[in-house]
Amino acid sequence: MNENFAKFILDFSYFLRGEGVWTILDRIDGYQWLTSNSLEEMQFYQIKKLLSSAFLHVPYYQKIMKERGIHPDGIQSFEDFSQFPILTKENIKANWRYLMNRNAKLRASLRQTSGSTGVPLRIIKDRQTTAFMDAAMYRSYSWYGISPGARQLR
């Protein structure tokens, strides 16, 4: 298949699914040029933003934060994240209904891990997450000179 035609098909499929892969790729491509301090600041801001959303809309984290007396505004450093328990496969399986953002109006699909540890883990993945993962994949491919739509042996 012609590489340009393959790229056109990719573009069209992302458009139909409402996934802004190329916009995300442009954004994350710049991350590699940030200083370590700028990268840490950006990471901290993004994680804190995620926690604020979880505090407002995810029952599992609402409960955890209430029980531990945590408020997103009180998170001031990476060390503060140690107040949260590790999210294990067992936690996810037992609490999956409570781990969903109640405010999300995104199209999502049920996915499953390969089960390499014995039992597959089912997760719900929204379009934004899928788009981010695809953008990260294309970014890593670009480091090896592989462009979107290029032929690959897998």
Side-chain angles (χ1 to χ4, degrees):
M1 181 183 295
N2 176 300
E3 190 172 317
N4 291 330
F5 182 68
K7 173 73 166 58
F8 170 78
I9 296 295
L10 276 174
D11 289 346
F12 189 62
S13 69
Y14 289 137
F15 170 75
L16 289 176
R17 293 189 311 223
E19 296 176 7
V21 174
W22 309 128
T23 303
I24 295 168
L25 179 58
D26 286 343
R27 187 178 77 226
I28 67 173
D29 199 42
Y31 293 167
Q32 64 189 320
W33 309 115
L34 294 176
T35 65
S36 59
N37 285 343
S38 295
L39 185 60
E40 277 187 22
E41 286 175 20
M42 187 269 305
Q43 289 171 334
F44 184 79
Y45 169 77
Q46 292 294 332
I47 295 170
K48 194 165 176 179
K49 187 171 134 183
L50 181 65
L51 274 180
S52 294
S53 178
F55 179 77
L56 295 172
H57 307 293
V58 181
Y60 177 82
Y61 284 106
Q62 289 172 335
K63 180 179 179 231
I64 294 292
M65 289 187 218
K66 184 178 180 183
E67 287 174 354
R68 295 172 183 233
I70 303 169
H71 191 279
D73 292 341
I75 303 291
Q76 300 299 317
S77 69
F78 280 107
E79 290 76 31
D80 293 337
F81 295 125
S82 67
Q83 299 174 67
F84 292 89
I86 302 287
L87 189 60
T88 64
K89 280 186 177 184
E90 290 74 27
N91 292 115
I92 295 169
K93 287 177 183 178
N95 298 289
W96 70 272
R97 283 187 174 92
Y98 308 108
L99 282 162
M100 293 191 294
N101 184 328
R102 299 290 185 222
N103 197 42
K105 294 177 178 71
L106 303 171
R107 292 172 48 197
S109 59
L110 185 62
R111 302 293 177 97
Q112 183 171 305
T113 65
S114 65
S116 60
T117 60
V119 179
L121 178 65
R122 291 184 175 185
I123 56 173
I124 295 173
K125 191 184 300 182
D126 65 36
R127 299 290 176 140
Q128 184 69 15
T129 301
T130 302
F132 190 91
M133 291 175 67
D134 285 352
M137 176 185 67
Y138 291 132
R139 177 179 169 217
S140 64
Y141 283 177
S142 73
W143 296 334
Y144 298 98
I146 302 169
S147 59
R151 293 179 70 174
Q152 299 176 39
L153 177 63
R154 290 189 187 205

